[in-house]
Amino acid sequence: MSTLQGKTIIITGAAMGLGLATAQECAAQGANLTLVDFNEKALAEAKADLATKFPKANVLTIVADVSKEEAAANYVAETVKVFGRIDGFYNNAGIEGRQAPLTSYDVDVFKKVIDINLTGVYFGMRHVIPVMQKQKYGRIVNVASVGGIRGVMNQTPYVASKHAVSGMTKNAALEYGRDGITTNAIAPGAILTPMVAEAFRQVNPADPKAAEDGYAQANPTKRLGQPSEVAKVVAFLLSEDCSYVSGQTIAIDGGESNSY
Ligand code: NAD
């Protein structure tokens, strides 16, 4: 039997990139899914794609902006109404913001990045955890970044928000371990998703492929990561088998963050 068979998993930012890849992995393992995203069209496409590839999967979709607390309350309540419980929470929705030096960073963009990447992740945990406490079981995987364990030039709010996600992950692990809930974070390096493709366009608008190749050369593996390589790790962290790992931020970056 596969490890996520019959489990109910909420995934935010599920319409594309790492969220969609994890939705596919969880569906392949037999999980029930609540997929949350504010991009209605892409979410509908993701649902249709899952229905084709995994016709037996139960998939609930909710169009919502995770930075609004009422949205988090609603996706949690709807999931409990439809599936009866929440076994796993992939707290993934996030944005990069625009790239600029710290002193000239656009303050509105700064606040938006913090609202989605930090406050949105907090609202998700705030509403999911009470359900998991009642069950005396839960697995939470927050999405930080290598930018949550290292600095990244010209990405001050992103780096601040991702360090904060790593910090909240430690606190949730401390406060709710007694309730059978593990909380971990992942720190992906450069994984080829729509977000990263946009980052390469910002780094080198004339030749984004050159920016991509430069990134790949700096990595010990000489390549970027694929979303499915992140999804496999997340699926394990969301599984019952991952019962004594908590409060960790796990780099998924081909080893790159070890270099000096
Ligand atoms: P992506 O842009 O490809 O996909 C993100 C998804 O989240 C989109 O479907 C988008 O519509 C959704 N989303 C964004 N803000 C939202 C909001 N407020 N409410 C609801 N949905 C929202 O990005 P990705 O590369 O898949 O990134 C996913 C997560 O992984 C992010 O938190 C990102 O910071 C993190 N991450 C990605 C990488 C990478 O290399 N791709 C590296 C480190 C961390």
Side-chain angles (χ1 to χ4, degrees), residues 13 16 18 37 64-66 92 143 158 162 188-189 191 193-196:
M16 62 183 84
L18 301 185
D37 207 289
D65 177 349
V66 299
N92 162 77
V143 179
Y158 186 81
K162 295 301 188 178
I191 315 293
T193 66
M195 186 179 89
V196 165

Side-chain angles (χ1 to χ4, degrees), residues 9 11 16 54 109 129 139 258:
I9 313 280
I11 300 175
M16 62 183 84
F54 309 101
V109 177
I129 286 172
R139 301 278 181 266
N258 293 305

